Amino acid sequence: MSDIDTTLKLLGITDSNIHVTDIHEEKHGRGQGRKNYQVIQAELTYKLERCPHCGMLKLRRNGHILTHIHVNGPTDRPVVLALKKQRWRCASCGSTVTATTPVVKANHAISNGVVSYTLKLSKQAMPSKQIASMTGISSTSVARMIDTAIHPRPSITLPRNLCFDEFRSTHSQMSFICIDADTHKGVVVLGDRLSVDIKQFFYSHYSSAQRARVEHVCMDMNAAYQNFIHELFPNAQIVIDRFHVIQLLGRAMDQVRIQCLKEINDKHSREYKALKNNWKTLHKANPDAKHRRYRPGLNEYLTDQEVVDIGTNAFPALKDAYETYINIHDALLNGDTVRLDELIKHYRGHGGPMSVALSTLRKNLRGVLNAAKTTYSNGPIEGVNRKIKELKRACYGFANQARMFKRIYQLIA
């Protein structure tokens, strides 16, 4: 095998009708965009006698047409294939024919390999300029490839289990997103999160029989969604995301902790340092009561449970909030719906942040209990939202919502 054949295979060019004549370097572009390109001069020719237009055997060779095709290279340096394509002219109908190759589409200057590589990079939350720099094409060409290849459209069938959430899209606009809770594939992305628009979408795209088959809808404690869930999906159970329940209780406990810190006059006391420097220990579901380790601020070797006791024993309100947090956390994650129901319904607080949090859970009691019964959560859609944030950060935001949604559909396809 010759070195030229090896080079072609390395570039992913397997068309035996392409014959290389020379390989050299050239500079292309203007100004700061001017860069070195590896140029491969080649000829595309094969035997063709019958005219594809009239079917007559009167094709005659009619010279070549030079095209410059961007192809994938083995290094960071962009590669251009200067390909002379054979042309024929029909003596019967007068039409002309140009040789074709599977390396590139007809009348295109970017190879199929570069197109597929560009779309692969665009799935990795890369901005268009960075993709263009890596592939040796322009950012406009990258945007055109994405527009041509991706056609955002909602899911044809409605999954049995859904996840609802919202995200910030363009110009501080809050948009709605829904995915399949089982496969994590996208269902729809809407430009806003208005209830009327969400209802209109599901009514217009899915029949009543399809909507009746939905079994679970996972969401946070958004009251606007809960108002129309049973209207859209009469047989669905609302599942409040477990993370949001724990987050609500954790924030309430932190507010109580901060109130206790403000009551301590001696900023060098053990209680103050336990609550100030070691506050994360209060959020542990199973504080370690056996192994001691050094505690910053306290300058002592203590177990997790000893740190908790130092901070909570002096403040009954904080101790009550901490025990409530731990008990509900354990019941929720262990699926103990009886105990969870009792803890939420029979909580007797003395006002304050924890009482407000438990009042919110009582309003969403059915969804919280369903979260303990099922394994579904909003974790998949929160992961998608994280990818969307990474995409926005990498691209320095989007001005065009339609183009942003095309990139999002790549993430959830």
Side-chain angles (χ1 to χ4, degrees):
M1 182 181 293
S2 66
D3 293 339
I4 291 179
D5 292 335
T6 304
T7 302
L8 290 179
K9 289 186 178 296
L10 188 62
L11 298 176
I13 301 174
T14 58
D15 190 351
S16 59
N17 296 320
I18 296 178
H19 307 284
V20 177
T21 57
D22 186 28
I23 299 177
H24 62 277
E25 292 185 2
E26 286 184 7
K27 285 186 176 292
H28 286 254
R30 298 179 180 177
Q32 295 181 350
R34 189 172 178 82
K35 62 179 67 174
N36 287 325
Y37 282 78
Q38 193 79 26
V39 179
I40 301 175
Q41 291 185 343
E43 180 183 359
L44 172 64
T45 183
Y46 49 84
K47 187 176 181 180
L48 185 65
E49 297 179 349
R50 188 179 297 277
C51 176
H53 300 284
C54 66
M56 302 297 291
L57 296 172
K58 293 187 177 182
L59 282 182
R60 301 291 183 269
R61 290 178 178 269
N62 190 33
H64 296 79
I65 181 172
L66 179 62
T67 60
H68 292 84
I69 304 168
H70 292 269
V71 296
N72 284 326
T75 63
D76 294 337
R77 182 178 300 175
V79 180
V80 172
L81 178 64
L83 186 62
K84 291 183 178 181
K85 295 182 178 180
Q86 179 69 57
R87 290 173 61 85
W88 295 271
R89 185 178 183 86
C90 180
S92 177
C93 64
S95 61
T96 58
V97 181
T98 303
T100 60
T101 173
V103 173
V104 64
K105 293 182 180 179
N107 303 319
H108 282 61
I110 300 176
S111 69
N112 298 327
V114 172
V115 173
S116 61
Y117 184 49
T118 299
L119 296 176
K120 181 180 179 180
L121 292 176
S122 66
K123 290 184 179 181
Q124 301 177 12
M126 288 186 179
S128 297
K129 287 186 177 180
Q130 183 178 355
I131 297 174
S133 177
M134 295 176 64
T135 56
I137 60 179
S138 67
S139 56
T140 304
S141 297
V142 174
R144 184 173 62 251
M145 291 177 193
I146 295 174
D147 290 342
T148 303
I150 304 172
H151 305 284
R153 52 181 176 268
S155 175
I156 299 176
T157 59
L158 191 61
R160 293 183 179 273
N161 303 289
L162 303 173
C163 290
F164 279 16
D165 206 354
E166 60 274 338
F167 65 96
R168 194 177 300 278
S169 57
T170 55
H171 308 293
S172 299
Q173 173 79 23
M174 295 302 295
S175 301
F176 172 79
I177 183 171
C178 174
I179 69 171
D180 187 338
D182 295 309
T183 64
H184 307 168
K185 301 296 183 181
V187 176
V188 68
V189 179
L190 299 179
D192 58 61
R193 58 174 179 178
L194 298 178
S195 299
V196 61
D197 292 333
I198 298 173
K199 291 166 60 177
Q200 178 61 32
F201 165 76
F202 283 102
Y203 279 134
S204 60
H205 285 78
Y206 305 107
S207 64
S208 57
Q210 285 180 300
R211 289 185 281 107
R213 286 196 291 268
V214 175
E215 299 174 358
H216 298 92
V217 179
C218 304
M219 64 177 67
D220 53 21
M221 283 173 274
N222 190 324
Y225 293 161
Q226 298 184 41
N227 290 334
F228 62 79
I229 288 298
H230 292 299
E231 180 182 347
L232 286 175
F233 316 110
N235 299 320
Q237 294 183 0
I238 296 176
V239 179
I240 300 298
D241 184 46
R242 289 182 290 275
F243 167 79
H244 289 88
V245 175
I246 302 302
Q247 183 187 57
L248 176 68
L249 297 173
R251 287 177 175 175
M253 183 178 65
D254 276 337
Q255 291 178 19
V256 177
R257 178 183 62 85
I258 293 172
Q259 291 174 359
C260 295
L261 283 172
K262 292 179 179 179
E263 296 176 5
I264 301 175
N265 295 323
D266 184 6
K267 306 303 182 185
H268 300 284
S269 64
R270 297 179 79 218
E271 292 81 4
Y272 185 87
K273 291 180 179 179
L275 297 178
K276 179 71 173 180
N277 299 87
N278 299 274
W279 62 271
K280 292 183 179 180
T281 308
L282 297 177
H283 289 266
K284 289 187 176 181
N286 298 302
D288 187 3
K290 295 182 179 180
H291 303 92
R292 287 185 170 89
R293 63 183 182 87
Y294 182 77
R295 306 291 171 168
L298 289 168
N299 299 327
E300 300 178 44
Y301 285 88
L302 301 170
T303 65
D304 291 340
Q305 189 61 54
E306 288 172 338
V307 174
V308 171
D309 293 340
I310 292 172
T312 59
N313 286 341
F315 303 97
L318 179 59
K319 190 176 186 65
D320 175 72
Y322 173 75
E323 291 178 350
T324 302
Y325 169 82
I326 292 297
N327 291 334
I328 293 180
H329 187 285
D330 291 344
L332 181 63
L333 296 188
N334 293 327
D336 192 345
T337 56
V338 176
R339 184 175 177 228
L340 182 62
D341 181 74
E342 182 180 352
L343 288 170
I344 296 176
K345 284 184 177 178
H346 299 93
Y347 176 78
R348 294 293 180 265
H350 307 284
M354 189 57 73
S355 296
V356 175
L358 267 295
S359 176
T360 303
L361 294 184
R362 278 192 287 269
K363 294 178 183 178
N364 299 273
L365 182 59
R366 180 52 53 193
V368 174
L369 295 179
N370 288 336
K373 292 178 183 178
T374 68
T375 58
Y376 292 108
S377 73
N378 253 22
I381 203 168
E382 294 294 347
V384 172
N385 285 347
R386 181 188 63 81
K387 292 181 179 179
I388 293 174
K389 289 180 181 179
E390 289 181 352
L391 176 65
K392 289 177 60 180
R393 190 181 302 113
C395 298
Y396 298 95
F398 286 86
N400 189 313
Q401 190 181 76
R403 183 154 290 170
M404 179 183 181
F405 283 5
K406 288 185 177 183
R407 298 294 298 271
I408 292 174
Y409 270 94
Q410 280 188 295
L411 301 176
I412 60 178

